[in-house]
Amino acid sequence: MGAESSPKIAIVDESPIRAAILEEGLREAGFTDVVRIDEMKSLLSRIYALDPDVIVIDLENPSRDILEQMFQVSRAVRRPIAMFVDQSDAASIQASVDAGVSAYIVDGLKKERLKPILDLCISRFNAFAKLQDELDRAKSALEDRKVIERAKGILMKLKGLNEDEAYVLLRSTAMREKKKIGEIAQSILTASELLK
Amino acid sequence: MTTPLQIGFIPLIDAAALIVAVEKGFTQAEGLDVQLVREVSWSNVRDKLNIGLFDAAHILAPVPIASSLGLGHIKVPIVVPLTLNLNGNAITVSPALHAAIMAEIDGDPLDPMATAQALSRVVATRRRNSGEPLTFGMTFPFSTHNYQLRFWMAAGGIDPDEDVRLVVLPPPFMVDSIASGQIDGFCVGAPWNSIAVDRGVGQILHFGSDIMERAAEKVLAIRQPWAEKNPQALAALVRSLVRAAEFAEVPDNRNEVARILARGEYIGVDAGVILRTLEGRLKISVDGTIREGGHYMLLAREDASAPDPLQAAWLYAQMVRWRQTPMSLEALKAAQAVFRPDLYEAALGRDGTHQLAAKAIGAFAGPAFEPANIEAYFAALQAGYGKP
């Protein structure tokens, strides 16, 4: 690898969306040589064939142990290999463990050149986690809305209320019992199922 | 006041003492509030312990030595105040490789020397026929599985780096990999050997205890500075784990222990398979043959829990033998100092006058291992068999 050229980065991730987010971030930052690996069966041979300078892997991936083999003196890899972190880097490995990312360097790439790659991966990884969280929350909000609509319908029918009155009844009950409206609505649905 | 502790583990039967200690309330009785965190890779367990996200960990016995010496990763001083188990591994091969070995065997199939020599002939025939080298799975570069496979093969005249392929695979992947033909055999801990046999894709060729009678398998690992700062919590943890290991060894308790370990948040496999392992009664063949091994896995019996510096020296010798690190007497000493019988004894309220009987590794072949004469050991290995 030339001193000025972009290092070859392999992203090992079974989540295609997250891998795409990482790749996009790296490309935007000027790292143009990025390859994604989502097939774990032939991981080691893929990596040997690609011969990357940096490997980024998700910590929830059990195949992480497979990569440890590359840091052994073995006949398959004839050049010396080392993990990028050393004792002075306890903070960056801490950050990468917190974010769920681990980075390995497979050749003599300078640490100062690796730092921006890792920082970028960590921020993208966190952004993905946030996105996932928001998505989950949006999903559960949508679920809540559906449940509330159905509970309102039941109240309107059983108690002869209009829609606004039914909603006010749900909300005031939730406030009185210190629960979410969705929870109260769910209990109404459950109760009406039982009483059918 | 209770002390909160985060402890990492890998879903394997030899995490039994940790899981039982929490589930039976033994840790709570010692004033500890232990949260067990299930992990997916040994690298994760090691890293999270090393940087302080875990206070303690269930880990492969060679890993704390590698971390303390700075091999393969960052250098972090780790201490081992307790051995979680001795033995517990097995070598499993595909039915096809099993048949090939049995066709070549000259001697007792339970004798590892006879099987290693037979394997050596199978390997030679494959080479003559320009076949692909046999591939064996093991769990981690710094693992007893790696060393036991290598020791066994080398005794039969096989060079494990040249004549076969050894690949790291996460334990839950072993069974699928042997079923799909990606690997021809593996060395792994319980329950994965039994699961391969149950699925009809593997035959257990050897128990780990055939290769070595007494081999430290998983240990409790703690960062040295943490151990020094928290001697009371450490002692409390050791006591609760010894109590749990002793509980799990009582035959009448095994059903209960198997049911706890089988739960989804722990190992998540059938309780019957776990029970067979705890009893040391393993189905070794697809035809249903059962083999009993009194030393298949020791949790507390025969002073299994006491960390033994002899074991640490042996593991260091394997690292040197297989070129993971150069030989140095200073490093040997440092490796031995990782295993801390003094912390174990202190936790159990012994004043240090209780001398644990020195117990040999009991390898099936090779020169006797004496840490004080480690250089003579390597010389004898080189003269005897294999390439050191």
Side-chain angles (χ1 to χ4, degrees):
Chain A
M1 192 194 81
E4 298 308 315
S5 68
S6 181
K8 187 188 281 182
I9 302 170
I11 299 169
V12 180
D13 201 330
E14 285 169 305
S15 157
I17 301 171
R18 186 169 53 201
I21 289 176
L22 285 178
E23 180 178 354
E24 188 196 63
L26 287 166
R27 286 191 191 281
E28 278 169 11
F31 299 102
T32 50
D33 202 354
V34 183
V35 187
R36 286 188 252 155
I37 302 177
D38 53 12
E39 172 56 57
M40 300 303 133
K41 267 192 177 153
S42 49
L43 179 60
L44 214 53
S45 54
R46 274 297 302 279
I47 284 179
Y48 287 142
L50 279 172
D51 196 23
D53 300 296
V54 179
I55 302 164
V56 177
I57 185 167
D58 161 27
L59 284 175
E60 289 309 310
N61 191 331
S63 300
R64 210 191 142 202
D65 278 347
I66 296 175
L67 296 185
E68 287 290 314
Q69 198 170 4
M70 299 192 315
F71 305 99
Q72 303 296 309
V73 184
S74 83
R75 75 202 157 99
V77 184
R78 300 200 182 270
R79 63 205 165 103
I81 272 167
M83 192 164 170
F84 88 96
V85 270
D86 64 20
Q87 274 171 296
S88 60
D89 278 325
S92 65
I93 189 180
Q94 167 91 52
S96 91
V97 167
D98 286 347
V101 183
S102 172
Y104 295 84
I105 170 171
V106 297
D107 209 345
L109 193 68
K110 286 235 169 64
K111 253 185 291 180
E112 46 274 29
R113 294 202 60 200
L114 190 75
K115 187 84 170 83
I117 300 174
L118 188 67
D119 287 349
L120 198 136
C121 288
I122 290 170
S123 75
R124 285 274 159 159
F125 216 80
N126 285 334
F128 176 79
K130 208 171 141 226
L131 204 69
Q132 190 81 46
D133 191 46
E134 277 165 12
L135 200 67
D136 290 347
R137 248 183 294 164
K139 255 190 210 152
S140 86
L142 192 67
E143 280 302 311
D144 273 0
R145 258 210 309 277
K146 281 188 201 155
V147 170
I148 292 167
E149 285 303 315
R150 287 177 57 201
K152 274 198 300 191
I154 292 168
L155 289 179
M156 286 157 71
K157 207 168 126 193
L158 287 180
K159 307 194 70 162
L161 303 175
N162 67 32
E163 190 173 349
D164 283 348
E165 288 166 340
Y167 185 73
V168 168
L169 180 59
L170 275 174
R171 200 180 58 187
S172 56
T173 309
M175 282 169 70
R176 200 174 53 241
E177 303 207 352
K178 294 192 175 58
K179 284 185 174 156
K180 289 183 185 160
I181 295 185
E183 289 171 317
I184 298 296
Q186 185 61 55
S187 3
I188 291 173
L189 258 51
T190 310
S192 93
E193 277 297 313
L194 285 173
L195 297 173
K196 249 181 196 169
Chain B
M1 202 193 93
T2 57
T3 310
L5 291 181
Q6 292 258 346
I7 305 183
F9 76 101
I10 293 282
L12 289 166
I13 293 175
D14 54 25
L18 271 174
I19 295 166
V20 168
V22 172
E23 286 294 326
K24 295 296 292 178
F26 299 161
T27 45
Q28 204 181 9
E30 288 282 357
L32 303 174
D33 176 17
V34 172
Q35 197 198 340
L36 293 178
V37 183
R38 189 163 89 161
E39 271 297 341
V40 296
S41 71
W42 291 116
S43 323
N44 279 8
V45 176
R46 175 200 60 194
D47 290 355
K48 291 186 179 180
L49 174 71
N50 287 356
I51 65 178
L53 292 179
F54 291 153
D55 301 302
H58 158 249
I59 210 159
L60 296 157
V63 173
I65 298 169
S67 287
S68 298
L69 298 178
L71 303 180
H73 199 65
I74 49 173
K75 183 173 176 173
V76 178
I78 303 288
V79 295
V80 168
L82 175 96
T83 305
L84 290 169
N85 63 309
L86 297 174
N87 310 342
N89 299 331
I91 296 175
T92 294
V93 295
S94 68
L97 179 57
H98 190 263
I101 291 172
M102 290 310 139
E104 290 284 354
I105 201 158
D106 178 16
D108 182 355
L110 290 183
D111 172 11
M113 186 57 98
T115 54
Q117 286 169 348
L119 178 68
S120 175
R121 290 191 281 273
V122 172
V123 164
T125 309
R126 276 179 94 96
R127 194 185 300 119
R128 267 199 309 280
N129 299 339
S130 313
E132 281 281 298
L134 293 168
T135 304
F136 288 83
M138 45 87 177
T139 58
F140 203 66
F142 297 103
S143 69
T144 45
H145 317 93
N146 185 19
Y147 303 143
Q148 284 170 3
L149 268 180
R150 285 167 176 272
F151 189 93
W152 170 61
M153 290 175 177
I158 296 166
D159 181 336
D161 287 313
E162 291 295 332
D163 302 334
V164 294
R165 283 195 203 119
L166 293 185
V167 296
V168 171
L169 280 178
F173 292 5
M174 293 286 181
V175 178
D176 282 340
S177 300
I178 202 167
S180 68
Q182 281 189 305
I183 56 175
D184 303 287
F186 55 70
C187 182
V188 70
W192 304 108
N193 297 284
S194 297
I195 289 173
V197 175
D198 279 352
R199 277 187 47 188
V201 297
Q203 306 252 124
I204 295 179
L205 192 62
H206 286 296
F207 291 171
S209 53
D210 299 343
I211 314 293
M212 279 140 211
E213 282 168 22
R214 228 182 132 79
E217 177 50 41
K218 303 299 182 321
V219 295
L220 180 74
I222 294 177
R223 283 184 316 287
Q224 189 180 27
W226 192 97
E228 279 163 12
K229 248 186 258 156
N230 303 279
Q232 279 162 4
L234 174 98
L237 182 60
V238 168
R239 276 193 301 273
S240 67
L241 292 176
V242 169
R243 191 175 161 198
E246 285 170 352
F247 180 89
E249 289 274 29
V250 175
D252 284 350
N253 295 337
R254 282 178 185 149
N255 261 313
E256 183 186 355
V257 171
R259 275 200 308 276
I260 293 172
L261 297 184
R263 279 158 43 183
E265 70 265 39
Y266 295 127
I267 305 179
V269 303
D270 177 56
V273 172
I274 298 177
L275 186 63
R276 271 170 16 210
T277 304
L278 294 173
E279 291 171 346
R281 281 169 46 82
L282 273 73
K283 189 160 92 184
I284 60 166
S285 167
V286 291
D287 70 14
T289 308
I290 299 278
R291 182 180 164 202
E292 286 196 42
H295 284 86
Y296 176 67
M297 181 159 81
L298 306 178
L299 296 172
R301 280 170 290 151
E302 301 179 27
D303 277 328
S305 310
D308 185 348
L310 173 72
Q311 294 282 344
W314 165 265
L315 292 168
Y316 174 73
Q318 307 314 300
M319 294 175 193
V320 172
R321 183 177 184 193
W322 304 112
R323 296 176 296 277
Q324 291 176 321
T325 185
M327 169 65 207
S328 126
L329 287 174
E330 201 184 322
L332 168 66
K333 231 188 224 167
Q336 288 174 290
V338 173
F339 281 36
R340 295 284 298 274
D342 57 317
L343 295 178
Y344 173 83
E345 303 256 297
L348 298 181
R350 297 171 183 164
D351 57 8
T353 53
H354 173 90
Q355 288 290 316
L356 291 166
K359 292 190 174 71
I361 306 282
F364 78 89
F369 179 71
E370 289 274 346
N373 294 316
I374 193 164
E375 276 146 339
Y377 175 76
F378 286 123
L381 266 186
Q382 194 158 22
Y385 60 78
K387 297 168 198 169

